[in-house]
Amino acid sequence: MRTWSLGPEDPRLQRLAADALSGPTDYVNDHIWEVKLGGGRPSALAAETTYGRRARSHRLFAGFNVNGPTLVDPSTFARAPRFQAFLPSWRRVAFSPVEGIEVEAEYWVVTSHVLAGRFRLSNTTSQYQGIRVVLYAVLEPTDGGHAMQAQARGGANVLAGVTGNLHPVAFLAGGAVPTTGHLPGLEITMDLAPHVTRPVTWCCAAESNPGASFESVRDAAGRAWDAEIGRLERLHSGRVEIHTGQPGWDAAFELSQVAALQSFVGPTPSAPSVSLVGTRSPDDGYSLAGDGSDYPEAWSGMDVDSTLYLASQLMYAAPELAKGLLDNFLSTQEAHGAVDGMPGPGGQRAAWLCPPRLAQLAWEIYRHTGDSDYLRSVFPRLLLFLNRWFSEQRASPGGSNLCWDNLIQAQAVSRPALAAGPEWGEAADVRFVLSPDLAAHLAAETHALVEMSKVLGESWAEVELERHWQAMKQAAVESWSLKAATFHYRDRETKLATGGRRVARGNAPLDVRGKLTFDPPCRIQVRVSAPEVKAGRVRVSIEGMAWNGRRRREQWAGKEFQWLWDRGIATSHAVYSRLDRLRVEGLETDVEVEVRCADLLRQDLRLLLPMWAGLAEPDMVEAIMDRSLRPPDRFGRPGGWPTVPADDRAYAPDAPGGPWVVELPLQEMLGGALVEAGYRAEAARNLGQVMTSITESLKADGDFSEAYHPERLTGWGRRGHVQGIAPLSYFMHVAGVRFLASGGVELRGRHPFPWPVTIRWRGLTVQRTDEGTRVTLPDGQESFVEPGMEGVVERVRETA
């Protein structure tokens, strides 16, 4: 395990939680901690939690007395604490409270309910040292609880308190006695011989009654510490170790793998394998309902895009967890092939069709593991899932399968043309819009299934899959705009990308008369600025000429509207070339009504995904790079590619919220496409931009951010969200290194970075520089690969 020296000024990961890879975790009662190197009242090296907001705070920290006052504040130590090593459920911190005494403090979340610690005190002097070690446990309970108090239990002195429905109990081994100060604590005194190291262990458990808490503490205290930590090290020996010329990058990639592994909970009765949660912080992890049904979105299931992003970061470290994520999705599959879009560990269901990305996950699992048996077990179900996307039941009246079913499935909140909630959104009805990104996902899914069929010898499936791929290719070509250097949304019937237009605006009742023409034809949209309870009796009638030359009349009631907060939006089923009359009735006179055509020409970063799926021709990729991704007045911002271009009116990076953030899954997908298209240097530049923001977030907050700011190189959104971990897989792609299941390594492209890079994995070492690449295999065999001679390097097997 790599040794670090990370202080408050460095990237660091303070979060600490039970490790789902080493044993089950408690989804509805999960205690998550943070290890802080200082701060608080009093300032201390402390482990802290709120038990999922069942306590205002619970802090455990130590004091050290060596012939003087008891030292707690790290600023008074001879050497300040620094993180040395990381595992998902374990940390090691090194410091020196006084000259001559070195301490290694270890923190280990044994289970979801138990935190254990160990201080390894070393006397580096030539004299005996008398040392007093104090464990403080400061609990600020919620109403009805009480702070930690000393009491005797089972022949030992402990500290016990009450908060919420928990009874925390803390214990210090070695015959500890209660302190006499104003803070509740336990202390032991020892004489430490010269050049001797002595461990001191402690535990804290919080169960539903004090007896159970004491039993958990006693069990944890009796564990063979070194053997247990050794087991955790072996479990996590698959992590990739990165050495670059950027220490912040190295730490971020290490911590991203730890954070990814920390994001798993379960399994549960409703999920056959462990599941992902978006955030795992001290305020999370408690379900008052007892089954997770009251959990917020981050704990109620992860969408498939976030799932794939996280899986790609831990594919080397724990591919079995990636298998579990796919299994959880497929466990919801219905007879006709549909898979739920966001299954949660508490049995939560999104009740909409999962976006077509599951075969891509299965194929990546195979590429990393070589497990053809697993591939064979999921192939029929994934083929059935894809067929559901291309089924007649999904096809629109125009015969297209390229329309999303709803706003959430389409992730419309960050798309100006589709977003319905914010004022800057066009709210184009996704059911009537052909989306190039959906064509891209269907093409990528089809390609993955073709590759799987080749491995499995299922050639019978390839003809139909190839037909699907060609259809997606044609759809992408038809949506391409050379002028805008991007792909466009198009209307489902007319196949046209129409601009926006306001038709009328005023207070109800609204009556629009006159022959208003639309060239090109568009759908009529009515927006009502009132909550549903106030506008539920709204009635709309439209008369005009449809785009096919036929007269058309529509009538809507309130149920035709989509109500979001204090606004309702409805869109015509017909596409109109002329509007003769439109009436809006049934509303109070102070309700504002707007009639408009949605602007399908407004752009977002997801419109470039056909490039990622291999649907863009080389000249299209060149145009995208030169006129969309690179220019600063488009997507080429200092912190990476934002979700909307800088020339869109919704781009407001200094305003709260908004569709302007840098989302890492999209950076990885589009950056990987640039690598494949020969733009490795440009992808490396984008990677450098997002890594700067990530390292700054880790320095400032001790955790990753949900997304990142395109201008200020800082984090944005929820702290500790798994979608913001450093993109290790993106780095490996840009670096041109892929470790193989066979034990070898594939090298591609020239070295793109200005400094040497060393990458280690399971005993295999790759060193890349401008002069070439040196590969050292686990058995010691070495190979040197000249620039431009890249390929696969594997162990040479001797023949008889």
Side-chain angles (χ1 to χ4, degrees):
M1 183 163 37
R2 186 172 179 179
T3 299
W4 300 84
S5 180
L6 303 178
E9 73 283 359
D10 297 309
R12 64 200 186 284
L13 184 65
Q14 298 173 167
R15 186 166 21 108
L16 198 60
D19 185 358
L21 199 60
S22 68
T25 65
D26 191 342
Y27 169 61
V28 298
N29 185 15
D30 186 38
H31 308 167
I32 302 116
W33 297 78
E34 285 191 342
V35 177
K36 297 184 178 180
L37 300 181
R41 293 188 305 170
S43 178
L45 166 63
E48 302 180 11
T49 188
T50 67
Y51 296 116
R53 300 188 178 183
R54 282 175 286 177
R56 294 182 177 88
S57 172
H58 192 192
R59 305 178 71 224
L60 293 129
F61 54 93
F64 301 90
N65 187 313
V66 182
N67 300 320
T70 300
L71 302 177
V72 171
D73 187 346
S75 67
T76 65
F77 289 178
R79 184 165 55 87
R82 302 182 74 84
F83 288 110
Q84 276 196 330
F86 300 85
L87 291 170
S89 61
W90 174 85
R91 295 287 184 279
R92 185 173 71 226
V93 180
F95 59 95
S96 175
V98 297
E99 294 292 345
I101 301 295
E102 300 292 329
V103 180
E104 287 184 349
E106 297 172 86
Y107 302 85
W108 173 32
V109 179
V110 184
T111 71
S112 283
H113 305 169
V114 180
L115 172 69
R118 178 170 71 166
F119 300 112
R120 290 172 50 85
L121 295 95
S122 299
N123 180 4
T124 62
T125 73
S126 58
Q127 305 292 325
Y128 273 85
Q129 295 282 354
I131 304 174
R132 184 164 64 95
V133 179
V134 185
L135 175 70
Y136 295 103
V138 178
L139 174 66
E140 295 183 33
T142 53
D143 294 343
H146 66 75
M148 302 293 277
Q149 300 171 354
Q151 60 178 243
R153 183 176 285 272
N157 290 307
V158 299
L159 300 173
V162 178
T163 184
N165 60 356
L166 295 175
H167 294 258
V169 170
F171 168 74
L172 178 66
V177 298
T179 58
T180 57
H182 67 284
L183 295 177
L186 299 169
E187 64 179 58
I188 61 170
T189 303
M190 66 180 77
D191 285 325
L192 196 59
H195 307 295
V196 166
T197 298
R198 177 174 169 180
V200 176
T201 59
W202 56 269
C203 309
C204 180
E207 305 283 5
S208 58
N209 63 78
S213 295
F214 181 73
E215 289 300 319
S216 293
V217 162
R218 187 161 59 181
D219 173 74
R223 300 226 180 182
W225 190 284
D226 289 331
E228 294 278 9
I229 303 306
R231 181 179 71 90
L232 292 176
E233 287 190 60
R234 291 189 295 274
L235 276 175
H236 297 291
S237 61
R239 288 187 295 170
V240 179
E241 186 177 312
I242 306 292
H243 297 260
T244 70
Q246 304 292 312
W249 287 36
D250 300 354
F253 288 131
E254 170 85 0
L255 301 179
S256 74
Q257 295 173 85
V258 173
L261 292 162
Q262 280 182 339
S263 299
F264 287 87
V265 297
T268 69
S270 300
S273 185
V274 291
S275 301
L276 275 176
V277 293
T279 61
R280 203 172 176 200
S281 73
D283 286 345
D284 296 317
Y286 174 58
S287 170
L288 182 62
D291 58 4
S293 60
D294 55 335
Y295 270 147
E297 176 189 348
W299 277 65
S300 297
M302 293 289 286
D303 65 82
V304 70
D305 281 356
S306 298
T307 297
L308 261 74
Y309 178 71
L310 181 117
S312 67
Q313 313 316 321
L314 56 76
M315 203 65 79
Y316 288 118
E320 64 272 33
L321 292 180
K323 289 181 180 178
L325 295 176
L326 179 56
D327 291 342
N328 283 345
F329 274 98
L330 291 178
S331 71
T332 70
Q333 189 166 38
E334 300 173 9
H336 52 66
V339 174
D340 190 79
M342 206 156 62
Q348 302 94 336
R349 296 293 183 265
W352 39 261
L353 182 62
C354 179
R357 300 207 62 194
L358 298 178
Q360 300 162 54
L361 176 56
W363 180 242
E364 282 304 304
I365 291 170
Y366 171 76
R367 292 183 72 210
H368 281 81
T369 66
D371 189 347
S372 58
D373 290 338
Y374 181 74
L375 202 63
R376 189 175 301 279
S377 71
V378 299
F379 178 75
R381 302 173 71 182
L382 294 171
L383 191 60
L384 185 64
F385 170 60
L386 181 70
N387 288 339
R388 177 62 183 176
W389 271 96
F390 285 110
S391 66
E392 292 183 1
Q393 294 93 327
R394 275 210 73 257
S396 65
S400 176
N401 298 86
L402 298 183
C403 301
W404 292 106
D405 299 327
N406 61 63
L407 292 170
I408 301 175
Q409 182 194 53
Q411 299 191 13
V413 68
S414 60
R415 305 184 184 208
L418 306 181
E423 288 293 330
W424 45 258
E426 296 293 325
D429 194 319
V430 296
R431 299 170 300 170
F432 304 138
V433 176
L434 301 178
S435 294
D437 61 301
L438 179 51
H441 286 310
L442 287 168
E445 196 80 345
T446 300
H447 176 74
L449 283 164
V450 168
E451 295 300 312
M452 292 163 67
S453 66
K454 292 176 180 178
V455 170
L456 300 173
E458 303 285 359
S459 58
W460 58 269
E462 295 180 26
V463 174
E464 183 69 7
L465 290 170
E466 178 64 21
R467 186 179 69 82
H468 288 322
W469 195 91
Q470 290 296 339
M472 297 304 101
K473 171 79 171 179
Q474 182 63 28
V477 170
E478 292 174 357
S479 67
W480 169 252
S481 169
L482 179 60
K483 179 180 179 181
T486 187
F487 300 88
H488 272 315
Y489 298 110
R490 296 177 297 146
D491 185 84
R492 188 182 71 185
E493 268 69 53
T494 67
K495 309 298 190 293
L496 298 175
T498 57
R501 175 179 173 180
R502 177 183 289 171
V503 177
R505 185 175 185 176
N507 288 345
L510 187 66
D511 191 350
V512 181
R513 298 171 181 263
K515 299 185 185 308
L516 301 174
T517 59
F518 306 103
D519 186 16
C522 70
R523 294 181 191 272
I524 304 299
Q525 184 187 86
V526 176
R527 301 185 180 198
V528 175
S529 298
E532 183 175 9
V533 67
K534 187 176 180 180
R537 300 190 180 207
V538 61
R539 300 184 308 277
V540 178
S541 63
I542 303 177
E543 300 176 29
M545 187 74 70
W547 72 284
N548 56 8
R550 297 179 181 178
R551 289 200 58 79
R552 186 68 183 262
R553 179 172 181 172
E554 296 185 53
Q555 291 184 323
W556 310 336
K559 64 181 181 181
E560 298 289 334
F561 285 75
Q562 293 185 6
W563 298 97
L564 295 166
W565 299 296
D566 291 338
R567 184 168 63 167
I569 301 174
T571 303
S572 65
H573 286 251
V575 183
Y576 288 89
S577 60
R578 189 184 74 209
L579 176 64
D580 296 334
R581 188 176 185 185
L582 183 147
R583 287 177 294 173
V584 182
E585 302 170 298
L587 298 172
E588 297 179 17
T589 56
D590 63 338
V591 173
E592 185 179 276
V593 178
E594 183 180 19
V595 182
R596 60 178 295 115
C597 298
D599 187 354
L600 295 183
L601 297 178
R602 293 182 68 183
Q603 297 163 32
D604 61 75
L605 195 60
R606 291 180 184 275
L607 287 173
L608 301 180
L609 286 179
M611 178 179 70
W612 157 77
L615 301 179
E617 298 294 341
D619 60 328
M620 296 178 182
V621 177
E622 182 179 4
I624 289 171
M625 188 68 250
D626 290 343
R627 292 167 37 217
S628 286
L629 291 179
R630 187 179 287 138
D633 61 341
R634 297 280 288 139
F635 292 102
R637 304 310 301 160
W641 302 315
T643 49
V644 299
D647 58 358
D648 188 277
R649 64 178 179 272
Y651 187 78
D654 293 321
W660 42 260
V661 298
V662 174
E663 295 181 348
L664 295 188
L666 289 174
Q667 313 300 299
E668 180 173 71
M669 296 166 77
L670 295 175
L674 292 180
V675 172
E676 295 302 312
Y679 294 88
R680 190 179 298 270
E682 286 78 2
R685 179 176 180 272
N686 170 257
L687 176 64
Q689 291 174 316
V690 299
M691 288 302 298
T692 298
S693 296
I694 290 168
T695 55
E696 290 303 313
S697 178
L698 286 168
K699 291 177 183 178
D701 298 328
D703 214 330
F704 298 94
S705 297
E706 180 179 5
Y708 296 90
H709 200 285
E711 308 291 343
R712 295 198 290 270
L713 309 182
T714 60
W716 177 91
R718 288 170 287 187
R719 177 178 180 264
H721 198 283
V722 70
Q723 190 168 285
I725 63 174
L728 172 66
S729 55
Y730 186 14
F731 169 81
M732 298 288 285
H733 200 168
V734 172
V737 176
R738 186 169 74 87
F739 295 116
L740 305 175
S742 62
V745 62
E746 180 184 8
L747 305 174
R748 297 182 61 188
R750 292 180 178 271
H751 181 61
F753 300 113
W755 14 258
V757 168
T758 299
I759 307 173
R760 296 191 176 97
W761 180 68
R762 294 194 181 280
L764 195 156
T765 301
V766 176
Q767 299 167 289
R768 300 210 82 183
T769 67
D770 290 337
E771 286 74 35
T773 303
R774 183 173 302 279
V775 177
T776 305
L777 298 173
D779 61 1
Q781 291 187 49
E782 286 194 2
S783 297
F784 186 80
V785 181
E786 298 283 349
M789 299 292 291
E790 287 76 10
V792 174
V793 179
E794 294 182 295
R795 183 170 68 88
V796 177
R797 293 174 173 82
E798 297 182 359
T799 57

